[in-house]
Amino acid sequence: MARPITDADRRRVRELHAQDKSRNEIARAIGRSPSTVSKIAGQFTPPLTFDRAAQVATATAARKADLDQRRTEMAHRLQDVAERELSKMTQPTVYWEWGGKDHTYDEREQPEPTPADRRTMMATAGAALDRSLKLVPPKQDPGQESRSVVGELMAGLARDYVARHGGPPPEPDYDQALDDGQ
């Protein structure tokens, strides 16, 4: 048989609720089930609620902002990796060998890496740049947007000319313009 709800249970639920404890935290603190805590909370006028949607939304927004910041930092680090790899492509490089029957060490410097090493560096730089751009895509160039607006305007004018005159606009005669002194 279930233990009856006491005034001490009610008082304790009210105190812990005022401390902004969750239903499950209150249940653990008073040694009751979460459903009993909900029943007790519903007996008050007005009933106590455990609606934490606003707190959850705030916490979620904060977490997303933190992840955005971390993603941006990671994109910067990947950009640094790409730049470092690209800078190595034209730098003097030391190649070494260790081995042979006498276990000798041999070292030589070349003015720049071998083509195979350069391909590897390029692949590493490309992968780092690709990941960086996926983490933080570049903002669209405002000039590009302006150029596309101008392009759309020119295309619209050409369509309008075709609709009015039944054919494309004539090509400008630059030689004639030069003869006319323009």
Side-chain angles (χ1 to χ4, degrees):
M1 181 168 176
R3 191 174 68 177
I5 297 172
T6 65
D7 287 339
D9 290 334
R10 290 182 187 91
R11 193 172 35 257
R12 192 76 176 122
V13 166
R14 186 184 288 278
E15 288 170 7
L16 293 171
H17 184 271
Q19 294 173 18
D20 205 27
K21 301 287 184 187
S22 71
R23 181 187 71 161
N24 292 345
E25 289 173 322
I26 294 171
R28 282 190 293 276
I30 67 171
R32 295 295 204 135
S33 71
S35 62
T36 301
V37 172
S38 292
K39 184 186 282 186
I40 294 169
Q43 293 174 351
F44 291 103
T45 306
L48 304 177
T49 63
F50 297 99
D51 181 19
R52 298 175 57 191
Q55 292 170 323
V56 169
T58 302
T60 300
R63 178 78 174 138
K64 284 181 180 178
D66 289 346
L67 288 174
D68 285 344
Q69 177 63 32
R70 290 175 61 194
R71 235 185 332 273
T72 300
E73 290 169 5
M74 181 65 72
H76 284 280
R77 290 175 54 200
L78 287 167
Q79 185 75 27
D80 292 343
V81 167
E83 290 174 6
R84 186 175 57 247
E85 288 299 309
L86 290 174
S87 71
K88 286 193 235 177
M89 290 179 68
T90 57
Q91 298 298 313
T93 304
V94 174
Y95 287 95
W96 56 272
E97 285 181 7
W98 181 268
K101 71 175 188 162
D102 297 328
H103 296 287
T104 57
Y105 176 79
D106 184 32
E107 180 177 291
R108 70 184 186 287
E109 184 173 317
Q110 287 190 217
E112 59 183 34
T114 63
D117 286 346
R118 291 178 66 158
R119 276 192 303 277
T120 302
M121 290 171 191
M122 184 61 87
T124 302
L129 282 173
D130 182 54
R131 299 309 184 273
S132 172
L133 292 171
K134 285 182 179 177
L135 286 170
V136 181
K139 294 190 176 16
Q140 189 172 12
D141 176 18
Q144 180 182 3
E145 188 175 315
S146 299
R147 287 187 295 275
S148 66
V149 169
V150 170
E152 288 175 26
L153 177 63
M154 294 301 292
L157 289 172
R159 283 191 302 272
D160 183 59
Y161 188 92
V162 168
R164 289 176 185 235
H165 302 286
E171 291 294 320
D173 186 0
Y174 295 110
D175 294 331
Q176 182 64 36
L178 289 173
D179 290 343
D180 293 342
Q182 295 179 355

